[in-house]
């Protein structure tokens, strides 16, 4: 009745933004991401009949804020009549700051809870279970370049390229470490209901998915860079045009973009992407990663830098 799993966060290159079914948390669009190697969340789930309620500790401290979402995730995986759980989480990067901490947390929880409950679920089943808690979490179940396909009634995952076959490096520039002001579910709903660009965002997504898929299959960095930056800026334009506007950026976010643009002008292989937070992720060719790291570290307003290669999907560490 006890299992531990590890998962890494993933960074979307073609973004998921918007839900077509809020109750089942189904995305309005497909997406493509890369799974990181060096940032991780470990989840230990112990189902215990003697417990009266679920308990969660994150990095050694009791956490009641995240607990309701994790309890719902356990209900999805093990059924609402399950034994209550003691959940112990360890995470080596800032939580809820636009670094996909929820993706790695829910991917690891789904894998650990499924094992602790004695289920032997397929990746497709785990993907749909994890996806109900966090739309992007399903992508952390697999490694390398992962496509999340949006089907009529569910979602499906597909590895486009293994992590070792195109070993890009991600440099994350932290510009603000605190938790974000508006959570992604609330922000997506505001966009869906009020942004004049939302419908065209959804309608044009297949084009970007197909361009990115083709670039990844052929390992064409320039093509991937162009479509990923375009898709990211398009997603933020949808947010900015919402009422009220949703602006996750700060002035250092913009300065990091200028740093990346300058590096590109010097022939350095890098491109940016930004999620629901002010951090900038620069995806780099391995030989250019050190240059990008130094340039972002020297950019005003960057408080910290994290570097990661690409890694594998979620996995069980201990369990039955
Ligand atoms: O899975 P959520 O609800 O945390 O939403 C993720 C949204 C983005 O990070 C902005 C884009 C993505 O595809 O990961």
């Amino acid at each position: 009745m006890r299992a531990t799993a590890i998962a890494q966060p993933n960074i979307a290159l073609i973004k998921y933004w918007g839900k077509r079914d809020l109750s089942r948390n189904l995305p309005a669009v497909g997406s493509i991401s890369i799974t990181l190697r060096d940032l991780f969340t470990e989840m230990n789930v112990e189902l215990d009949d003697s417990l009266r309620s679920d308990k969660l500790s994150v990095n050694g401290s009791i956490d009641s804020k995240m607990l309701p979402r994790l309890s719902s995730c356990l209900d999805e995986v093990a059924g609402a009549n399950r034994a209550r759980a003691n959940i112990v989480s360890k995470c080596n990067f800032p939580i809820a700051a636009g670094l996909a901490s929820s993706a790695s947390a829910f991917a690891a929880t789904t894998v650990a809870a499924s094992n602790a409950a004695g289920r032997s679920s397929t990746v497709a089943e785990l993907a749909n279970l994890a996806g109900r808690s966090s739309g992007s979490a399903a992508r952390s179940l697999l490694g390398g370049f992962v496509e999340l396909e949006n089907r009529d009634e569910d979602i499906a995952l597909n590895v486009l390229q293994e992590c070792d076959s195109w070993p890009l490096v991600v440099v994350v520039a932290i510009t603000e470490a605190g938790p974000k002001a508006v959570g992604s579910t609330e922000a997506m709903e505001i966009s869906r209901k009020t942004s004049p660009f939302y419908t065209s965002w959804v309608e044009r997504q297949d084009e970007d998915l197909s361009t990115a898929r083709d670039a990844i299959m052929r390992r064409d960095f320039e093509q991937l860079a162009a479509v990923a930056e375009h898709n990211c800026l398009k997603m933020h334009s949808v947010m900015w045009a919402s009422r009220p506007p949703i602006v996750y950026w700060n002035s250092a976010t913009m300065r990091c973009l200028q740093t990346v643009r300058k590096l590109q002008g010097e022939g350095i292989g890098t491109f940016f992407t930004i999620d629901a937070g002010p951090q900038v992720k620069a995806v780099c060719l391995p030989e250019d990663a050190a240059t990008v790291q130094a340039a972002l570290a020297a950019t005003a307003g960057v408080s910290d830098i994290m570097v990661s290669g690409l890694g594998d999907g979620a996995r069980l560490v201990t369990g039955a």
Side-chain angles (χ1 to χ4, degrees):
M1 300 295 270
R2 177 184 189 144
T4 306
I6 279 196
Q8 275 78 235
N10 68 77
I11 306 292
L13 303 182
I14 302 299
K15 310 287 189 188
Y16 145 55
W17 193 253
K19 299 177 198 284
R20 82 190 131 94
D21 183 336
L22 195 56
S23 64
R24 289 186 298 159
N25 205 40
L26 287 172
V29 290
S31 52
I32 295 179
S33 61
I34 41 181
T35 304
L36 302 183
R37 183 189 58 206
D38 304 296
L39 315 185
F40 70 86
T41 305
E42 183 187 282
M43 284 286 181
N44 179 289
V45 175
E46 185 177 16
L47 295 169
D48 180 346
D49 286 320
S50 69
L51 287 176
R52 293 174 137 239
S53 59
D54 293 333
K55 291 185 172 39
L56 169 67
S57 86
V58 178
N59 292 336
S61 306
I62 300 295
D63 185 328
S64 50
K65 205 162 160 242
M66 180 84 173
L67 183 59
R69 281 182 76 194
L70 281 171
S71 292
S72 309
C73 178
L74 296 182
D75 290 348
E76 293 285 356
V77 177
N81 292 330
R82 67 181 168 80
R84 298 301 99 186
N86 196 10
I87 310 160
V88 179
S89 168
K90 286 184 210 150
C91 184
N92 73 342
F93 60 100
I95 293 172
L99 287 172
S101 57
S102 63
S104 51
F106 287 112
T109 303
T110 305
V111 171
S114 163
N115 185 272
R119 309 266 151 88
S120 51
S121 311
T122 62
V123 172
E125 287 162 348
L126 290 172
N128 282 283
L129 290 168
R132 278 183 212 146
S133 301
S134 159
S136 56
R139 298 185 312 233
S140 276
L141 291 170
L142 298 179
F145 294 76
V146 179
E147 175 160 11
L148 186 151
E149 218 186 293
N150 197 14
R151 303 245 187 102
D152 281 348
E153 290 303 320
D154 59 6
I155 55 169
L157 295 177
N158 184 19
V159 174
L160 300 174
Q161 201 72 262
E162 299 288 347
C163 55
D164 298 336
S165 58
W166 201 17
L168 301 181
V169 175
V170 180
V171 176
V172 184
I174 309 284
T175 65
E176 214 174 285
K180 57 189 163 201
V182 192
S184 52
T185 296
E186 187 188 345
M188 284 183 202
E189 279 302 282
I190 295 173
S191 293
R192 183 179 68 78
K193 290 182 187 149
T194 68
S195 179
F197 304 153
Y198 182 78
T199 309
S200 92
W201 155 257
V202 173
E203 284 171 2
R204 305 292 292 269
Q205 184 78 343
D206 282 352
E207 252 172 71
D208 290 357
L209 285 167
S210 136
T211 307
R213 197 183 299 123
D214 174 68
I216 291 165
M217 299 312 239
R218 295 187 300 103
R219 301 188 190 91
D220 182 334
F221 191 78
E222 273 184 30
Q223 182 172 319
L224 184 60
V227 72
E229 289 189 351
H230 168 69
N231 188 266
C232 164
L233 293 176
K234 208 160 55 174
M235 176 184 78
H236 286 278
S237 306
V238 171
M239 295 183 200
W240 287 17
S242 299
R243 291 184 171 183
I246 301 150
V247 180
Y248 284 114
W249 300 20
N250 58 31
S251 52
T253 311
M254 195 64 212
R255 279 196 290 272
C256 288
L257 256 57
Q258 286 164 339
T259 298
V260 171
R261 279 280 179 266
K262 186 165 175 287
L263 290 167
Q264 288 171 335
E266 293 161 5
I268 301 294
T270 185
F271 65 86
F272 63 78
T273 190
I274 304 159
D275 292 297
Q279 333 303 355
V280 175
K281 291 115 187 185
V283 181
C284 316
L285 289 172
E287 60 272 26
D288 288 333
T291 308
V292 175
Q293 182 179 352
L296 283 171
T299 300
V302 172
S303 54
D304 203 1
I305 291 274
M306 289 186 301
V307 181
S308 177
L310 305 192
D312 292 318
R315 63 216 166 268
L316 207 58
V317 181
T318 56

